[in-house]
Amino acid sequence: MIKTILISFSGGKTSAYMTWWLLRVKYKATWDEILKFHVGMDELGNTVHLIIIFANTSKENEETLDFVRNCDEHFGFNTIWIEAVVYPQYGKGNGAKIIDFVSAKRKGEVFKQMIVKHGIPNMASKHCTRELKATPIRALMREKGFAPKQYETAIGYRIDEPKRWKGAKKRKAQILKRHLYYFVDEKPVTKLQVNGWWDIQEFNLMLDDYEGNCTLCYKKSEPKLIAFICKMIYYKKEDLFWGEMEKEFEQFVTPGKKHNKKIKVPIYFYRGHSSYEKLKEKALILLKDIHDEVGLQVLIDALINNYNPKQISLCSESCEPF
């Protein structure tokens, strides 16, 4: 019996640790250059094929791309890098093309193609993950001759993030989609453990937790978004893509949704019907009092930990013994 497992490598630390554990510990897999997958054995002696895929949205942080490349070079992941091929006609799902670290797009080219067809994604319409990751990954698997029911997908959910996996409906969906949550069900792992494992490796993902893989993902909280914008503006590396997309496509509604009364234009990326420009305005106000990198870090810490950066003490009264 041969079992095929697709490892969905997001480019984050948890999925990278999970990939290493599956290849080197659980299945002790070796790379097969001809078949383009790792070959291992399960506890019953059955052959296991492991295929590792990373889908680049063209809006990943450069540090994420560096991290995936380093995992390939240091751990022998031999990840298959892909990008979505967005077909303009409605009713035709995205395809996939194989890329590499050098050819990976970095300026939002693929992301914009998705917006041209499907509009601006946000919390009410989370189609970017579907169109830029899930659909092209499935398309590539079909090209390799694997129908959806012929393989299982390993996803890096941890035991300490129950919102992503806990509940009868989510568990039922997991079974239907043939998803495997190894760090929940077989080897429970927490964020602390993931960070601890990476702390002793030769390299790490050079991003703070609030930055995430996608530069200004709408799933982040507003304080984290403002923190990231503050950092980019301070270092003169502002990511203008998100504001440009809103200006160009804020009035665009796909033909299939034009009669949906719940959709209100203009359409923006962020929670509370907030635009990039509104977030930038808030960031600029906070940056007026920042004069050095120490002040910037204090501001960022305050934003991501939800306290006032001008508050000297977090206690209302002082009680020094001397």
Side-chain angles (χ1 to χ4, degrees):
M1 179 180 176
I2 298 177
K3 182 178 182 179
T4 301
I5 298 175
L6 159 67
I7 300 177
S8 177
F9 183 13
S10 70
K13 291 195 288 188
T14 298
S15 64
Y17 177 28
M18 179 192 70
T19 301
W20 176 87
W21 180 78
L22 288 173
L23 296 184
R24 304 296 170 235
V25 179
K26 183 171 176 60
Y27 295 118
K28 298 178 175 60
T30 57
W31 180 250
D32 192 316
E33 290 288 355
I34 298 175
L35 298 177
K36 296 297 180 185
F37 43 53
H38 289 271
V39 181
M41 304 290 288
D42 67 12
E43 58 275 9
L44 299 177
N46 298 314
T47 299
V48 179
H49 292 166
L50 299 124
I51 302 174
I52 305 164
I53 300 179
F54 165 69
N56 176 47
T57 66
S58 74
K59 283 308 299 175
E60 316 293 330
N61 278 300
E62 186 65 27
E63 292 85 350
T64 297
L65 303 182
D66 291 339
F67 183 66
V68 177
R69 178 190 58 181
N70 287 337
C71 285
D72 287 340
E73 293 178 351
H74 288 262
F75 298 143
F77 282 8
N78 291 291
T79 306
I80 301 174
W81 292 51
I82 68 168
E83 285 175 353
V85 176
V86 181
Y87 299 110
Q89 58 268 44
Y90 291 104
K92 184 172 183 178
N94 289 349
K97 67 175 181 179
I98 294 178
I99 58 167
D100 57 25
F101 174 80
V102 175
S103 63
K105 292 183 173 60
R106 291 161 162 83
K107 297 180 180 180
E109 301 95 325
V110 185
F111 208 104
K112 182 175 181 178
Q113 291 173 4
M114 180 269 300
I115 292 176
V116 169
K117 182 176 180 179
H118 296 283
I120 292 175
N122 49 42
M123 292 302 291
S125 185
K126 304 175 185 178
H127 52 264
C128 54
T129 301
R130 180 192 72 212
E131 299 298 328
L132 299 179
K133 290 183 176 286
T135 300
I137 287 174
R138 286 195 294 266
L140 183 73
M141 292 298 286
R142 285 195 299 271
E143 290 178 15
K144 284 181 165 289
F146 295 99
K149 292 186 178 181
Q150 292 179 317
Y151 62 90
E152 296 174 288
T153 302
I155 298 175
Y157 290 170
R158 301 187 310 269
I159 190 69
D160 60 350
E161 43 187 6
K163 288 184 179 180
R164 306 181 78 176
W165 56 264
K166 193 173 185 179
K169 289 184 178 179
K170 291 181 179 179
R171 284 301 194 165
K172 184 177 180 180
Q174 174 194 354
I175 295 171
L176 291 174
K177 295 177 180 178
R178 298 172 64 84
H179 288 175
L180 303 172
Y181 304 156
Y182 285 100
F183 280 1
V184 172
D185 298 321
E186 183 169 338
K187 177 184 169 62
V189 169
T190 66
K191 182 176 182 179
L192 185 64
Q193 289 172 304
V194 170
N195 288 336
W197 189 84
W198 279 108
D199 284 343
I200 61 174
Q201 304 307 313
E202 295 181 13
F203 68 99
N204 207 330
L205 175 60
M206 303 307 292
L207 290 171
D208 291 323
D209 287 343
Y210 77 92
E211 293 176 294
N213 291 329
C214 189
T215 59
L216 280 171
C217 176
Y218 57 82
K219 294 180 182 178
K220 298 174 186 176
S221 67
E222 181 172 297
K224 289 182 178 180
L225 290 166
I226 294 174
F228 188 86
I229 294 171
C230 284
K231 181 178 180 179
M232 292 298 98
I233 292 176
Y234 182 87
Y235 289 111
K236 296 179 171 57
K237 296 180 179 180
E238 184 183 355
D239 188 350
L240 299 173
F241 173 84
W242 306 94
E244 291 171 352
M245 291 301 98
E246 288 181 330
K247 289 178 182 177
E248 187 172 352
F249 296 101
E250 64 181 11
Q251 299 295 327
F252 174 61
V253 179
T254 59
K257 296 181 179 179
K258 284 190 177 294
H259 300 293
N260 188 337
K261 295 181 180 180
K262 293 183 180 180
I263 297 177
K264 298 179 180 179
V265 294
I267 299 172
Y268 300 127
F269 284 107
Y270 303 109
R271 287 181 172 92
H273 203 64
S274 186
S275 66
Y276 173 80
E277 289 302 322
K278 290 179 181 177
L279 296 177
K280 180 181 176 180
E281 288 174 8
K282 294 179 180 180
L284 289 172
I285 291 172
L286 293 171
L287 283 170
K288 287 181 179 179
D289 297 326
I290 304 304
H291 306 293
D292 53 31
E293 291 185 342
V294 174
L296 176 66
Q297 191 57 54
V298 170
L299 171 62
I300 290 174
D301 288 344
L303 286 166
I304 63 178
N305 291 297
N306 195 32
Y307 66 85
N308 186 339
K310 295 183 179 181
Q311 186 175 348
I312 296 175
S313 172
L314 296 183
C315 176
S316 60
E317 296 294 338
S318 177
C319 55
E320 291 83 0
F322 301 105

